[in-house]
Amino acid sequence: MSKTYAPPAAMAANAHVNAAKYDEMYAASLADPDAFWKEQAGRIDWIKDPTRIKDVSFDLGNVSIKWYEDGVLNVAANCIDRHLETRGDQTAIIFEPDDPNDAAQHITYRELHRNTCKMANVLKGMGVGKGDRVVIYLPMIPEAAYAMLACARIGAIHSIVFAGFSPDALGARVNGCDAKVVITADGAPRGGRVTNLKDNVNKALLHDTDDVQCLIVKRTGQQIAFRNGLDFWYEEEAAKVADDCPPEPVNAEDPLFILYTSGSTGQPKGVVHTTGGYLVYAAMTHQITFDYHEGDVYWCTADVGWVTGHSYIVYGPLANGATTLMFEGVPTFPDASRFWQVCEKHKVNQFYTAPTAIRALMGQGDDFVTKCDLSSLKLLGTVGEPINPEAWDWYYNVVGGGKCPIVDTWWQTETGGHLMTPLPGAHATKPGAAQKPFFGVMPVVLDPTSGEEIEGDGVEGVLCMKDSWPGQMRTVWGDHERFEKTYFSDYKGYYFTGDGCRRDEDGDYWITGRVDDVINVSGHRMGTAEVESALVAHEKVAEAAVVGYPHNIKGQGIYCYVTLMTGQEPTDELRLELRNWVRQEIGPIASPDLIQWSPGLPKTRSGKIMRRILRKIAENDYGSLGDTSTLADPSVVDELIDNRMNR
Ligand code: 6R9
């Protein structure tokens, strides 16, 4: 039995959802989804109220997901305009820059309105209209939020590319969605170092024949190469346009954004989220999971380049009229106290981060935390990967002073918002468990071989969802077939998450990690296939297989087995060259941790690489290699074990 931590009495007493209410609402959400979600739609403002609530089919060949399909609304109006009367002067966004010596900014809802309208008018002037795609490649600055909301305001679809991605990765995403405009900055300061964002954009668009325009925010003031006629400084354009822009009426099922994410095969796919259901779900989960109350200061440390930044820095909090903090920097710059100093400085009430950051900071010792006044904290959250018990304990006791519930939120780019998490005023938390389904969410544990539902408690299998929720992705951009194949073909009639899971004796859920070829490095999701294709694109590499292995800080590290072209020397210099190559092809987050030279890879007779075996070798777990008799050449395995990378 794991130890549990009951909700603090004061929180349970005032929470949006306490234990009794959770049970009652959860039962209602399953008993009559239409009635339940019709009521929840009232969280946001509609130009035309939806009358058709849910229309969903998970049947392969016919997958279709629609929520609120006859509703009309505007997301930016919901996140900004409807708050102006009551909280125009309240801070919407606190911006904390990379350098602690630079002043923080407090942007009110009124200022947010003005800035978003300006950006919207600039985009319109560049020819962007409803349904057009805009790529956002920005640092964590307020303009990133203005850009998102400006797109939403005019009905354009944004696709944010994390500023740490390489020119190649950026170029693929610009082309993938046929973007009209890229919004970027001259440079991005992070941890005291500057990434030359505009340079990257120029490289990404070098071979572009569509003349993609670029809107550039001045962040660092550095020199940039300007493409005349195609590039525009945001500040100059903003000065020329009006500071009001009427919100465009948008259908609930029109796309709000595309966000590329990694899967087990092929290149990243463009996850499509639509407007009405997504916003209802983001707003509801933000309010209830974090127990957000009027006047609270809320901080999610993610980057807007990831889904967490979309739902829980921008859309959820702003739809709720919250004060949301945007942090440009990193947890360890200038030193490991930075997070906690920011919490103290802005009196943060809810703090939401990733286990990898917690582990890294835990390793620096308690002093960095205890020297700060963290008395404002009421709640802590984690997301992105399973949290190990040591990190949970440290977070709970040292950061939270033993008084803040931890919500371990399990969800995905595909899910739009939290699907499983304890609720802070309702559930006694268990370190490491994602615990309870959110309202309307129907998790099932399936037997991976038979695909049958495993009933009862104390069971383990793969995690699927039996029915839809409003925040679910609707399709893969430009490839609905891939959407169906990826999520609905392995287990017929269910949404397959790609995660394994255990339901314990109490009926609580624990995520056991990915069951596919996706690895989770520092909370960043990566397809091993992507790293492999980057490696084999190098002229000296004949073949490569990539797996994850346990890593103390990152959760998983990237272990690469590389077969060189005949005649190539396996040297340390080449190792370094390959590492830099992958960084260039994808970005620093994809840097191989270990590269093992492998004259041969274990393959079946039909030529499939047996990753299961490579994973075991990388994990140092030879006892359970399983059946190797189906290999074309079983001796390859001994050779790989003998030459395993030491660490
Ligand atoms: C939001 C986000 C999704 C994958 C997911 C799972 C892992 C996320 C987790 C977690 C255990 C948690 N994951 N939250 N595993 N406990 N609380 O991270 O989206 O980048 O798409 O990653 O991350 O494996 O399938 P995304």
Side-chain angles (χ1 to χ4, degrees):
M1 264 289 287
S2 42
K3 186 166 180 214
T4 62
Y5 297 79
M11 184 169 276
N14 290 313
H16 291 293
V17 174
N18 61 23
K21 191 150 178 209
Y22 173 82
D23 292 343
E24 176 205 319
M25 278 175 74
Y26 186 68
S29 72
L30 299 197
D32 190 349
D34 272 56
F36 183 86
W37 290 110
K38 186 174 179 150
E39 189 184 337
Q40 294 304 326
R43 292 178 167 273
I44 62 174
D45 283 0
W46 299 82
I47 298 166
K48 177 182 174 298
D49 283 333
T51 62
R52 298 165 67 175
I53 305 303
K54 177 183 175 214
D55 184 4
V56 171
S57 162
F58 280 2
D59 291 342
L60 189 62
N62 190 30
V63 176
S64 161
I65 300 160
K66 290 184 184 147
W67 286 88
Y68 307 122
E69 60 186 295
D70 61 345
V72 177
L73 72 161
N74 183 281
V75 166
N78 270 286
C79 291
I80 309 172
D81 304 41
R82 67 169 177 153
H83 305 309
L84 290 180
E85 207 173 302
T86 49
R87 50 176 128 243
D89 297 323
Q90 181 201 304
T91 300
I93 297 175
I94 300 174
F95 170 59
E96 176 64 35
D98 184 52
D99 183 341
N101 298 314
D102 291 348
Q105 289 174 36
H106 290 76
I107 297 134
T108 65
Y109 272 94
R110 208 176 309 286
E111 289 163 335
L112 180 62
H113 180 261
R114 183 172 180 276
N115 292 323
T116 300
C117 285
K118 285 232 168 224
M119 182 83 84
N121 283 330
V122 170
L123 289 174
K124 273 187 178 173
M126 295 172 85
V128 178
K130 197 171 185 170
D132 288 339
R133 276 78 60 204
V134 173
V135 162
I136 300 174
Y137 185 64
L138 281 172
M140 279 290 291
I141 53 179
E143 284 79 1
Y146 308 157
M148 294 164 78
L149 292 162
C151 288
R153 197 163 188 91
I154 61 176
I157 304 166
H158 61 69
S159 173
I160 306 190
V161 178
F162 175 56
F165 274 129
S166 68
D168 281 359
L170 171 64
R173 286 157 175 77
V174 172
N175 288 330
C177 72
D178 219 351
K180 244 187 185 162
V181 171
V182 176
I183 307 180
T184 191
D186 44 2
R190 227 169 151 250
R193 291 207 306 248
V194 171
T195 309
N196 300 323
L197 284 190
K198 178 61 168 89
D199 259 16
N200 285 356
V201 174
N202 288 351
K203 283 183 199 142
L205 300 181
L206 203 56
H207 306 295
D208 175 75
T209 49
D210 297 338
D211 287 349
V212 177
Q213 304 172 85
C214 190
L215 187 62
I216 311 149
V217 176
K218 193 170 273 176
R219 172 66 187 104
T220 54
Q222 69 199 86
Q223 280 288 327
I224 59 161
F226 206 79
R227 303 171 314 156
N228 280 329
L230 288 174
D231 289 350
F232 303 91
W233 283 109
Y234 172 64
E235 286 74 7
E236 286 176 11
E237 299 308 308
K240 299 179 199 161
V241 297
D243 56 10
D244 192 22
C245 168
E248 179 76 24
V250 172
N251 183 269
E253 279 302 339
D254 284 342
L256 174 64
F257 66 84
I258 303 168
L259 182 56
Y260 280 81
T261 193
S262 299
S264 49
T265 55
Q267 288 303 309
K269 49 187 172 288
V271 166
V272 176
H273 281 287
T274 57
T275 300
Y278 171 80
L279 192 66
V280 169
Y281 202 73
M284 181 180 187
T285 46
H286 170 261
Q287 185 203 43
I288 292 176
T289 304
F290 302 115
D291 199 40
Y292 185 87
H293 289 267
E294 193 71 35
D296 285 345
V297 175
Y298 160 88
W299 180 18
C300 163
T301 70
D303 190 285
V304 289
W306 312 116
V307 73
T308 306
H310 285 64
S311 301
Y312 299 115
I313 294 177
V314 178
Y315 290 121
L318 296 177
N320 289 332
T323 297
T324 180
L325 194 148
M326 278 181 88
F327 175 50
E328 190 183 32
V330 298
T332 47
F333 173 80
D335 65 31
S337 206
R338 191 70 205 281
F339 270 4
W340 322 122
Q341 277 166 359
V342 174
C343 284
E344 172 179 305
K345 178 171 168 192
H346 298 294
K347 302 202 167 37
V348 169
N349 300 116
Q350 290 93 2
F351 178 76
Y352 189 33
T353 196
T356 186
I358 299 167
R359 285 192 296 267
L361 295 174
M362 180 171 78
Q364 307 285 315
D366 296 0
D367 290 352
F368 287 110
V369 189
T370 51
K371 71 178 185 198
C372 298
D373 175 5
L374 296 180
S375 56
S376 59
L377 287 174
K378 297 196 281 194
L379 172 135
L380 303 171
T382 72
V383 58
E385 50 179 320
I387 181 164
N388 49 310
E390 301 74 32
W392 198 99
D393 280 347
W394 186 81
Y395 199 30
Y396 186 78
N397 290 309
V398 180
V399 177
K403 64 179 176 55
C404 304
I406 296 179
V407 289
D408 180 349
T409 62
W410 174 83
W411 60 296
Q412 311 177 293
T413 305
E414 293 88 339
T415 72
H418 306 147
L419 286 201
M420 294 209 273
T421 175
L423 297 185
H427 303 126
T429 54
K430 289 181 185 174
Q435 254 168 298
K436 299 285 185 203
F438 198 77
F439 304 113
V441 172
M442 298 173 71
V444 288
V445 179
L446 300 190
D447 179 312
T449 325
S450 70
E452 299 287 317
E453 278 184 39
I454 309 177
E455 311 274 347
D457 293 330
V459 298
E460 193 168 332
V462 297
L463 177 63
C464 287
M465 297 294 148
K466 207 171 173 153
D467 203 349
S468 183
W469 60 99
Q472 186 170 22
M473 77 181 280
R474 303 301 198 253
T475 191
V476 169
W477 181 259
D479 197 348
H480 194 69
E481 211 179 306
R482 187 169 177 203
F483 174 58
E484 297 209 0
K485 189 165 181 297
T486 309
Y487 303 105
F488 300 94
S489 68
D490 289 355
Y491 304 99
K492 303 273 179 320
Y494 300 94
Y495 165 77
F496 173 43
T497 64
D499 280 314
C501 131
R502 179 161 68 85
R503 186 165 53 225
D504 72 13
E505 307 300 335
D506 306 321
D508 286 327
Y509 291 88
W510 300 70
I511 304 300
T512 52
R514 298 291 301 199
V515 295
D516 53 11
D517 288 317
V518 170
I519 52 180
N520 195 325
V521 182
S522 300
H524 298 314
R525 183 173 155 176
M526 212 167 316
T528 53
E530 281 169 75
V531 185
E532 287 165 7
S533 69
L535 282 167
V536 296
H538 190 281
E539 57 178 14
K540 294 179 185 163
V541 175
E543 200 166 30
V546 172
V547 297
Y549 72 94
H551 187 288
N552 279 345
I553 303 283
K554 299 180 179 182
Q556 279 187 300
I558 303 180
Y559 195 118
C560 310
Y561 297 88
V562 172
T563 311
L564 293 174
M565 293 285 190
T566 319
Q568 293 300 334
E569 278 297 308
T571 59
D572 283 348
E573 290 74 53
L574 183 54
R575 241 192 214 113
L576 198 65
E577 189 179 322
L578 290 182
R579 184 166 298 145
N580 287 334
W581 171 263
V582 175
R583 290 169 70 92
Q584 240 174 50
E585 291 278 302
I586 306 176
I589 55 173
S591 283
D593 292 284
L594 296 167
I595 296 177
Q596 173 169 351
W597 306 122
S598 318
L601 292 169
K603 290 188 189 164
T604 61
R605 288 191 186 92
S606 62
K608 278 212 173 71
I609 296 175
M610 295 197 59
R611 275 158 224 284
R612 175 177 57 82
I613 292 174
L614 294 176
R615 268 196 293 268
K616 293 288 180 198
I617 297 173
E619 284 164 10
N620 218 348
D621 181 12
Y622 315 130
S624 52
L625 283 182
D627 185 9
T628 55
S629 63
T630 55
L631 289 175
D633 177 8
S635 71
V636 167
V637 175
D638 299 325
E639 146 98 44
L640 286 178
I641 293 177
D642 288 343
N643 295 318
R644 195 176 155 279
M645 291 298 291
N646 295 317
R647 354 172 244 281

